[in-house]
Coordinates of all heavy atoms in Angstrom, one line a residue:
M1 N 150.4 117.4 223.9 CA 151.8 117.7 224.2 C 152.1 117.5 225.7 O 151.3 117.9 226.5 CB 152.2 119.1 223.8 CG 153.7 119.4 223.9 SD 154.1 121.1 223.6 CE 153.6 121.3 221.9
T2 N 153.2 116.8 226.0 CA 153.5 116.5 227.4 C 154.0 117.8 228.0 O 154.8 118.5 227.4 CB 154.7 115.5 227.5 OG1 154.4 114.4 226.6 CG2 154.8 115.0 228.9
P3 N 153.5 118.2 229.2 CA 154.1 119.4 229.8 C 155.5 119.3 230.1 O 156.0 118.2 230.4 CB 153.2 119.6 231.1 CG 152.3 118.4 231.2 CD 152.5 117.5 230.0
A4 N 156.2 120.4 230.2 CA 157.7 120.4 230.5 C 157.9 119.8 231.8 O 157.1 120.0 232.8 CB 158.2 121.8 230.4
C5 N 158.9 119.0 232.0 CA 159.2 118.3 233.2 C 160.1 119.1 234.1 O 160.6 120.2 233.7 CB 159.9 117.0 232.9 SG 161.5 117.3 232.1
G6 N 160.5 118.6 235.3 CA 161.3 119.3 236.2 C 162.7 119.5 235.7 O 163.3 120.5 236.0
H7 N 163.2 118.6 234.8 CA 164.6 118.8 234.2 C 164.6 120.1 233.4 O 165.5 120.9 233.5 CB 165.0 117.7 233.3 CG 165.0 116.4 234.0 ND1 164.1 115.3 233.8 CD2 165.9 115.9 234.9 CE1 164.5 114.3 234.5 NE2 165.5 114.6 235.2
I8 N 163.5 120.3 232.6 CA 163.5 121.4 231.7 C 163.2 122.7 232.5 O 163.8 123.7 232.3 CB 162.4 121.2 230.6 CG1 162.9 120.2 229.6 CG2 162.0 122.5 229.9 CD1 161.9 119.7 228.5
Q9 N 162.3 122.6 233.5 CA 161.9 123.7 234.3 C 163.1 124.2 235.1 O 163.3 125.3 235.5 CB 160.7 123.5 235.1 CG 159.4 123.4 234.3 CD 158.2 122.9 235.1 OE1 158.4 122.4 236.2 NE2 157.1 122.9 234.4
G10 N 164.0 123.2 235.4 CA 165.2 123.5 236.3 C 166.4 124.1 235.5 O 167.4 124.5 236.2
L11 N 166.3 124.2 234.2 CA 167.4 124.8 233.5 C 167.4 126.3 233.7 O 166.5 127.0 233.6 CB 167.2 124.6 232.0 CG 167.3 123.2 231.5 CD1 166.9 123.2 230.0 CD2 168.6 122.6 231.7
E12 N 168.6 126.8 234.1 CA 168.7 128.2 234.4 C 169.1 129.0 233.2 O 168.6 130.2 233.0 CB 169.8 128.5 235.5 CG 169.3 127.9 236.9 CD 170.2 128.1 238.0 OE1 171.3 128.7 237.8 OE2 169.8 127.6 239.1
S13 N 169.9 128.5 232.4 CA 170.2 129.2 231.1 C 170.5 128.1 230.1 O 170.9 127.0 230.4 CB 171.4 130.1 231.2 OG 172.5 129.3 231.6
L14 N 170.3 128.4 228.8 CA 170.4 127.4 227.8 C 171.8 127.5 227.2 O 172.5 128.5 227.1 CB 169.4 127.7 226.6 CG 168.0 127.6 227.1 CD1 167.1 127.9 225.9 CD2 167.7 126.2 227.7
I15 N 172.4 126.3 226.8 CA 173.7 126.2 226.3 C 173.5 126.2 224.7 O 172.8 125.3 224.2 CB 174.4 124.9 226.7 CG1 174.5 124.9 228.3 CG2 175.8 124.8 226.1 CD1 175.0 123.6 228.8
A16 N 174.1 127.1 224.1 CA 174.0 127.2 222.6 C 175.0 126.2 222.0 O 176.1 125.9 222.6 CB 174.3 128.6 222.1
A17 N 174.7 125.7 220.8 CA 175.7 124.8 220.1 C 177.0 125.6 219.8 O 177.0 126.7 219.4 CB 175.0 124.4 218.8
K18 N 178.1 124.9 220.1 CA 179.4 125.5 219.8 C 179.9 125.2 218.5 O 180.8 125.9 217.9 CB 180.4 125.0 220.9 CG 180.1 125.5 222.3 CD 181.1 125.0 223.3 CE 180.7 125.2 224.7 NZ 179.6 124.4 225.1
S19 N 179.4 124.1 217.9 CA 179.8 123.8 216.5 C 178.6 123.2 215.8 O 177.7 122.6 216.4 CB 181.0 122.7 216.6 OG 180.5 121.6 217.2
Y20 N 178.6 123.4 214.5 CA 177.5 122.9 213.7 C 177.8 121.6 213.1 O 177.9 121.4 211.8 CB 177.0 123.9 212.7 CG 175.6 123.6 212.2 CD1 174.5 123.7 213.1 CD2 175.4 123.2 210.9 CE1 173.3 123.4 212.7 CE2 174.1 122.9 210.5 CZ 173.1 123.0 211.4 OH 171.8 122.7 210.9
E21 N 178.2 120.6 213.9 CA 178.5 119.2 213.4 C 178.3 118.3 214.6 O 178.4 118.7 215.7 CB 179.9 119.1 212.8 CG 181.0 119.5 213.8 CD 182.3 119.6 213.1 OE1 182.4 119.8 211.9 OE2 183.3 119.5 213.9
C22 N 178.1 117.0 214.3 CA 178.0 116.0 215.3 C 179.4 115.5 215.6 O 180.1 114.9 214.7 CB 177.1 114.8 214.9 SG 177.3 113.4 216.1
A23 N 179.9 115.7 216.8 CA 181.3 115.4 217.2 C 181.6 113.9 216.9 O 182.7 113.6 216.4 CB 181.6 115.8 218.6
E24 N 180.6 113.0 217.2 CA 180.9 111.6 217.1 C 180.8 111.2 215.6 O 181.6 110.3 215.2 CB 179.8 110.8 217.9 CG 180.1 110.9 219.4 CD 181.4 110.2 219.8 OE1 181.7 109.1 219.4 OE2 182.2 110.9 220.5
C25 N 179.9 111.7 214.9 CA 179.9 111.4 213.4 C 181.1 111.8 212.7 O 181.6 111.1 211.8 CB 178.6 112.0 212.8 SG 177.1 111.1 213.1
V26 N 181.6 113.0 213.1 CA 182.9 113.5 212.5 C 184.0 112.5 212.8 O 184.8 112.1 211.9 CB 183.2 114.9 213.0 CG1 184.6 115.3 212.6 CG2 182.2 115.9 212.4
R27 N 184.0 112.0 214.0 CA 185.1 111.1 214.4 C 185.0 109.8 213.6 O 186.1 109.2 213.2 CB 184.9 110.8 215.9 CG 186.2 110.3 216.6 CD 186.0 110.3 218.1 NE 184.9 109.5 218.6 CZ 184.8 108.2 218.7 NH1 185.9 107.5 218.4 NH2 183.8 107.6 219.1
I28 N 183.8 109.3 213.4 CA 183.7 108.0 212.7 C 183.4 108.1 211.2 O 183.3 107.1 210.5 CB 182.7 107.1 213.4 CG1 181.3 107.7 213.3 CG2 183.1 106.8 214.9 CD1 180.2 106.8 213.8
G29 N 183.3 109.3 210.7 CA 183.1 109.5 209.3 C 181.6 109.2 208.9 O 181.4 108.8 207.7
A30 N 180.7 109.4 209.8 CA 179.3 109.1 209.5 C 178.6 110.4 209.1 O 179.1 111.5 209.3 CB 178.6 108.4 210.6
R31 N 177.3 110.3 208.6 CA 176.5 111.4 208.3 C 175.4 111.6 209.3 O 175.0 110.6 210.0 CB 175.9 111.2 206.9 CG 177.0 111.1 205.8 CD 176.3 110.7 204.5 NE 175.8 111.9 203.9 CZ 176.5 112.7 203.1 NH1 177.7 112.5 202.9 NH2 175.9 113.8 202.6
W32 N 174.8 112.8 209.4 CA 173.7 113.0 210.3 C 172.6 113.8 209.6 O 172.8 114.3 208.5 CB 174.2 113.8 211.5 CG 174.8 115.1 211.2 CD1 174.1 116.3 211.0 CD2 176.2 115.4 211.0 NE1 175.0 117.3 210.7 CE2 176.3 116.8 210.7 CE3 177.4 114.6 211.0 CZ2 177.5 117.4 210.4 CZ3 178.6 115.3 210.7 CH2 178.6 116.6 210.5
V33 N 171.5 113.9 210.2 CA 170.3 114.5 209.7 C 170.1 115.9 210.3 O 170.2 116.9 209.7 CB 169.0 113.7 209.8 CG1 167.8 114.4 209.2 CG2 169.2 112.4 209.1
H34 N 169.9 115.9 211.7 CA 169.7 117.1 212.4 C 170.7 117.1 213.7 O 171.1 116.0 214.1 CB 168.3 117.3 212.9 CG 167.3 117.5 211.8 ND1 166.2 116.6 211.6 CD2 167.3 118.4 210.8 CE1 165.6 117.0 210.5 NE2 166.2 118.1 210.0
L35 N 170.9 118.2 214.2 CA 171.8 118.3 215.4 C 171.0 118.8 216.6 O 170.1 119.6 216.6 CB 172.9 119.3 215.1 CG 173.8 118.9 213.9 CD1 174.7 120.0 213.5 CD2 174.6 117.6 214.4
R36 N 171.5 118.2 217.8 CA 170.9 118.5 219.1 C 172.1 118.9 220.0 O 173.2 118.3 219.9 CB 170.2 117.3 219.6 CG 169.2 116.7 218.6 CD 168.0 117.6 218.4 NE 167.0 117.1 217.5 CZ 166.7 117.7 216.4 NH1 167.2 118.8 216.0 NH2 165.7 117.2 215.6
T37 N 171.8 119.8 221.0 CA 172.9 120.1 221.9 C 172.5 119.7 223.3 O 171.4 120.1 223.8 CB 173.1 121.7 221.9 OG1 173.5 122.0 220.6 CG2 174.2 122.1 222.9
C38 N 173.4 119.0 224.0 CA 173.1 118.5 225.4 C 173.1 119.8 226.3 O 174.1 120.5 226.3 CB 174.2 117.5 225.8 SG 174.0 117.1 227.5
Q39 N 172.1 119.9 227.1 CA 171.9 121.0 228.0 C 172.6 120.8 229.3 O 172.6 121.7 230.2 CB 170.5 121.4 228.2 CG 169.9 122.0 226.9 CD 170.6 123.2 226.4 OE1 170.7 124.2 227.2 NE2 171.0 123.2 225.2
T40 N 173.3 119.7 229.5 CA 174.1 119.4 230.7 C 175.6 119.8 230.4 O 176.2 120.5 231.2 CB 173.9 118.0 231.2 OG1 172.6 117.7 231.4 CG2 174.7 117.8 232.5
C41 N 176.1 119.2 229.3 CA 177.5 119.4 229.1 C 177.8 120.2 227.8 O 179.0 120.5 227.6 CB 178.2 118.0 229.0 SG 177.7 117.1 227.6
G42 N 176.8 120.5 227.0 CA 177.0 121.3 225.8 C 177.5 120.7 224.6 O 177.7 121.3 223.6
V43 N 177.7 119.3 224.6 CA 178.1 118.6 223.4 C 177.0 118.7 222.3 O 175.8 118.6 222.7 CB 178.6 117.2 223.7 CG1 177.4 116.3 224.1 CG2 179.3 116.6 222.5
T44 N 177.3 118.8 221.1 CA 176.4 118.8 220.0 C 176.5 117.5 219.2 O 177.6 117.1 218.8 CB 176.6 120.0 219.0 OG1 176.3 121.2 219.8 CG2 175.7 119.9 217.8
L45 N 175.4 116.8 219.1 CA 175.3 115.4 218.6 C 174.1 115.3 217.7 O 173.3 116.2 217.6 CB 175.3 114.4 219.7 CG 176.6 114.4 220.6 CD1 176.3 113.6 221.8 CD2 177.8 113.8 219.8
C46 N 174.0 114.1 217.0 CA 173.0 114.0 216.0 C 171.7 113.4 216.5 O 171.7 112.8 217.6 CB 173.5 113.2 214.8 SG 174.1 111.5 215.3
C47 N 170.6 113.7 215.8 CA 169.2 113.4 216.3 C 168.8 111.9 216.1 O 169.6 111.2 215.5 CB 168.3 114.3 215.5 SG 168.1 113.8 213.8
D48 N 167.6 111.6 216.5 CA 167.1 110.2 216.3 C 166.7 109.9 214.9 O 166.5 108.7 214.6 CB 165.9 110.0 217.3 CG 166.4 109.7 218.7 OD1 167.6 109.7 218.9 OD2 165.5 109.5 219.6
S49 N 166.7 110.8 214.0 CA 166.5 110.5 212.6 C 167.8 110.2 211.9 O 167.8 109.8 210.7 CB 165.9 111.7 211.9 OG 164.7 112.1 212.5
S50 N 168.9 110.4 212.6 CA 170.3 110.1 212.0 C 170.6 108.7 212.3 O 170.1 108.1 213.2 CB 171.3 111.0 212.7 OG 170.9 112.4 212.6
P51 N 171.4 108.0 211.4 CA 171.7 106.6 211.6 C 172.3 106.2 212.9 O 172.0 105.2 213.5 CB 172.7 106.3 210.5 CG 172.6 107.4 209.5 CD 172.0 108.6 210.2
N52 N 173.1 107.1 213.5 CA 173.8 106.7 214.7 C 173.2 107.3 216.0 O 173.6 106.8 217.1 CB 175.2 107.1 214.6 CG 176.0 106.4 213.6 OD1 176.2 105.2 213.7 ND2 176.3 107.0 212.5
R53 N 172.2 108.2 215.9 CA 171.5 108.7 217.1 C 172.4 109.0 218.3 O 172.1 108.6 219.4 CB 170.4 107.6 217.5 CG 169.5 107.3 216.4 CD 168.4 106.3 216.9 NE 167.5 106.0 215.8 CZ 166.4 105.4 216.0 NH1 166.0 104.9 217.2 NH2 165.5 105.2 215.0
H54 N 173.4 109.8 218.0 CA 174.4 110.0 219.0 C 173.8 110.8 220.2 O 174.3 110.6 221.3 CB 175.6 110.7 218.4 CG 176.5 109.8 217.6 ND1 176.9 110.0 216.4 CD2 177.0 108.6 218.0 CE1 177.6 109.0 215.9 NE2 177.7 108.1 216.9
A55 N 172.9 111.7 220.0 CA 172.4 112.5 221.1 C 171.6 111.6 222.1 O 171.8 111.8 223.3 CB 171.5 113.6 220.5
S56 N 170.8 110.7 221.6 CA 170.1 109.9 222.6 C 171.0 108.9 223.2 O 170.9 108.5 224.4 CB 168.9 109.2 221.9 OG 169.2 108.4 220.9
Q57 N 172.0 108.4 222.5 CA 173.0 107.5 223.1 C 173.7 108.2 224.2 O 174.0 107.7 225.3 CB 174.1 107.1 222.1 CG 173.7 106.0 221.1 CD 174.9 105.5 220.3 OE1 176.0 105.6 220.7 NE2 174.6 105.1 219.1
H58 N 174.1 109.5 224.0 CA 174.8 110.3 225.0 C 173.9 110.5 226.2 O 174.3 110.4 227.3 CB 175.2 111.6 224.4 CG 175.7 112.6 225.4 ND1 177.0 112.5 225.9 CD2 175.1 113.7 225.9 CE1 177.1 113.5 226.8 NE2 176.0 114.2 226.8
A59 N 172.6 110.8 225.9 CA 171.7 111.1 227.0 C 171.6 109.9 228.0 O 171.6 110.0 229.2 CB 170.3 111.5 226.5
R60 N 171.5 108.7 227.4 CA 171.4 107.5 228.2 C 172.7 107.2 228.9 O 172.8 106.9 230.1 CB 171.1 106.3 227.3 CG 169.6 106.0 227.2 CD 169.3 104.6 226.6 NE 170.1 104.3 225.4 CZ 169.6 104.7 224.2 NH1 168.5 105.3 224.0 NH2 170.4 104.4 223.1
A61 N 173.8 107.2 228.1 CA 175.1 106.8 228.7 C 175.6 107.8 229.8 O 176.2 107.4 230.8 CB 176.2 106.8 227.5
A62 N 175.4 109.1 229.6 CA 175.9 110.1 230.5 C 174.8 110.6 231.5 O 175.1 111.3 232.4 CB 176.4 111.3 229.7
S63 N 173.6 110.1 231.4 CA 172.5 110.5 232.2 C 172.3 112.1 232.1 O 172.1 112.7 233.1 CB 172.6 110.1 233.7 OG 172.6 108.7 233.7
H64 N 172.4 112.6 230.9 CA 172.2 114.0 230.7 C 170.8 114.1 230.0 O 170.7 113.8 228.8 CB 173.3 114.6 229.8 CG 174.6 114.7 230.4 ND1 175.7 115.0 229.8 CD2 174.9 114.6 231.7 CE1 176.7 115.1 230.6 NE2 176.3 114.8 231.8
P65 N 169.8 114.5 230.7 CA 168.4 114.3 230.2 C 167.9 115.2 229.1 O 167.2 114.8 228.2 CB 167.5 114.5 231.4 CG 168.3 115.4 232.3 CD 169.8 115.0 232.1
V66 N 168.4 116.5 229.1 CA 167.7 117.4 228.2 C 168.6 117.9 227.0 O 169.8 118.2 227.2 CB 167.3 118.7 229.0 CG1 166.6 119.7 228.1 CG2 166.4 118.3 230.2
I67 N 168.0 117.9 225.8 CA 168.7 118.4 224.7 C 167.9 119.6 224.1 O 166.7 119.7 224.3 CB 169.0 117.4 223.6 CG1 167.7 116.6 223.2 CG2 170.1 116.4 224.0 CD1 167.0 117.1 222.0
S68 N 168.6 120.5 223.4 CA 167.9 121.5 222.6 C 168.2 121.2 221.2 O 169.2 120.6 220.8 CB 168.5 122.9 223.0 OG 169.8 123.0 222.6
S69 N 167.3 121.7 220.3 CA 167.6 121.6 218.9 C 168.7 122.6 218.6 O 168.7 123.7 219.0 CB 166.4 122.0 218.1 OG 166.8 122.0 216.7
A70 N 169.7 122.1 217.8 CA 170.8 123.0 217.3 C 170.5 123.5 215.9 O 171.4 124.1 215.3 CB 172.1 122.3 217.4
E71 N 169.3 123.2 215.4 CA 169.0 123.7 214.0 C 168.6 125.1 214.0 O 167.9 125.6 214.9 CB 167.8 122.8 213.5 CG 168.1 121.4 213.4 CD 169.3 121.1 212.4 OE1 169.2 121.7 211.3 OE2 170.2 120.3 212.7
P72 N 169.1 125.9 213.1 CA 168.8 127.3 213.0 C 167.3 127.5 212.9 O 166.6 126.8 212.2 CB 169.5 127.8 211.7 CG 170.5 126.8 211.4 CD 170.0 125.5 212.0
G73 N 166.8 128.4 213.7 CA 165.4 128.8 213.7 C 164.5 127.9 214.5 O 163.3 128.1 214.7
E74 N 165.1 126.8 215.1 CA 164.3 125.9 216.0 C 164.6 126.3 217.4 O 165.8 126.4 217.8 CB 164.6 124.4 215.7 CG 164.2 124.0 214.3 CD 164.3 122.5 214.1 OE1 164.7 121.8 215.1 OE2 164.0 122.0 213.0
R75 N 163.6 126.4 218.2 CA 163.7 126.8 219.6 C 162.9 125.9 220.5 O 161.8 126.2 220.8 CB 163.3 128.3 219.8 CG 164.2 129.2 219.0 CD 163.6 130.7 219.0 NE 163.5 131.2 220.4 CZ 164.5 131.8 221.0 NH1 165.7 131.9 220.4 NH2 164.4 132.3 222.2
W76 N 163.4 124.7 220.7 CA 162.7 123.8 221.6 C 163.7 122.9 222.3 O 164.9 122.8 222.0 CB 161.7 122.9 220.8 CG 162.3 122.2 219.6 CD1 162.2 122.6 218.3 CD2 163.0 120.9 219.6 NE1 162.8 121.7 217.5 CE2 163.2 120.6 218.2 CE3 163.4 120.0 220.6 CZ2 163.9 119.5 217.8 CZ3 164.0 118.9 220.2 CH2 164.3 118.6 218.8
L77 N 163.2 122.3 223.4 CA 163.9 121.5 224.3 C 163.2 120.1 224.4 O 162.0 120.1 224.3 CB 164.0 122.1 225.7 CG 164.7 123.5 225.8 CD1 164.3 124.1 227.1 CD2 166.2 123.4 225.7
Y78 N 164.0 119.1 224.6 CA 163.4 117.8 224.8 C 164.1 117.0 225.9 O 165.3 117.1 226.0 CB 163.5 117.0 223.5 CG 162.9 115.6 223.6 CD1 161.5 115.4 223.6 CD2 163.8 114.5 223.7 CE1 161.0 114.1 223.7 CE2 163.2 113.2 223.9 CZ 161.8 113.0 223.9 OH 161.3 111.8 224.0
C79 N 163.3 116.4 226.8 CA 163.9 115.6 227.9 C 163.7 114.1 227.5 O 162.5 113.7 227.4 CB 163.2 115.9 229.2 SG 163.7 114.9 230.6
Y80 N 164.7 113.4 227.4 CA 164.6 111.9 227.1 C 163.9 111.1 228.1 O 163.0 110.4 227.8 CB 166.0 111.4 226.8 CG 166.5 111.8 225.4 CD1 167.5 112.8 225.3 CD2 166.1 111.2 224.2 CE1 168.0 113.2 224.1 CE2 166.6 111.6 223.0 CZ 167.5 112.5 222.9 OH 168.0 112.9 221.7
P81 N 164.3 111.1 229.4 CA 163.7 110.2 230.4 C 162.2 110.5 230.6 O 161.4 109.6 230.8 CB 164.5 110.4 231.7 CG 165.3 111.6 231.4 CD 165.5 111.8 230.0
D82 N 161.8 111.8 230.4 CA 160.4 112.1 230.6 C 159.6 112.2 229.3 O 158.4 112.5 229.4 CB 160.3 113.5 231.4 CG 160.8 113.3 232.8 OD1 160.4 112.4 233.5 OD2 161.7 114.1 233.2
D83 N 160.3 112.1 228.2 CA 159.6 112.3 226.9 C 158.8 113.6 226.9 O 157.7 113.7 226.5 CB 158.7 111.1 226.5 CG 158.2 111.2 225.1 OD1 158.9 111.8 224.2 OD2 157.1 110.6 224.8
A84 N 159.5 114.7 227.4 CA 158.8 116.0 227.5 C 159.4 116.9 226.5 O 160.6 116.9 226.3 CB 159.0 116.5 228.9
F85 N 158.6 117.8 226.0 CA 159.0 118.7 224.9 C 158.5 120.1 225.3 O 157.5 120.3 225.9 CB 158.2 118.3 223.6 CG 158.5 119.1 222.4 CD1 159.6 118.9 221.6 CD2 157.6 120.2 222.1 CE1 159.8 119.7 220.5 CE2 157.8 121.0 221.0 CZ 159.0 120.7 220.2
A86 N 159.4 121.1 225.1 CA 159.0 122.5 225.4 C 159.6 123.4 224.4 O 160.7 123.3 224.0 CB 159.5 122.9 226.8
E87 N 158.8 124.4 224.0 CA 159.3 125.5 223.1 C 159.7 126.6 224.0 O 159.2 126.8 225.1 CB 158.3 125.9 222.1 CG 158.0 124.7 221.1 CD 157.0 125.1 220.0 OE1 155.8 125.1 220.4 OE2 157.4 125.5 218.9
Y88 N 160.6 127.4 223.5 CA 161.0 128.6 224.3 C 161.2 129.8 223.4 O 161.1 129.7 222.2 CB 162.3 128.3 225.0 CG 163.5 128.0 224.2 CD1 164.4 129.1 223.8 CD2 163.9 126.7 223.8 CE1 165.5 128.8 222.9 CE2 165.0 126.5 223.0 CZ 165.8 127.6 222.6 OH 166.8 127.3 221.8
Ligands
LIG101 ZN1 162.8 115.5 232.5
LIG102 ZN1 176.3 111.5 215.3
LIG103 ZN1 175.8 115.8 227.9

């Protein structure tokens, strides 16, 4: 496992998911598999197993590196640019 990167270590508090749906998939009428919450702006979007991969698109487009899982019972963070994973 890759050790947590500076982005993850620099998080002061975690942003919880505000809604249990992918905002972009709802807008375009698509389906998703799992949900992730951006730890920079708090938007909840779909994972890389979903057809549209909105969370990773957002991470690249907005340069927001770290997401958390928004799935109930999952407590982990992932940094896209560093491919770093951390449980909390
Ligand atoms: Zn990082
Ligand atoms: Zn989506
Ligand atoms: Zn964001």
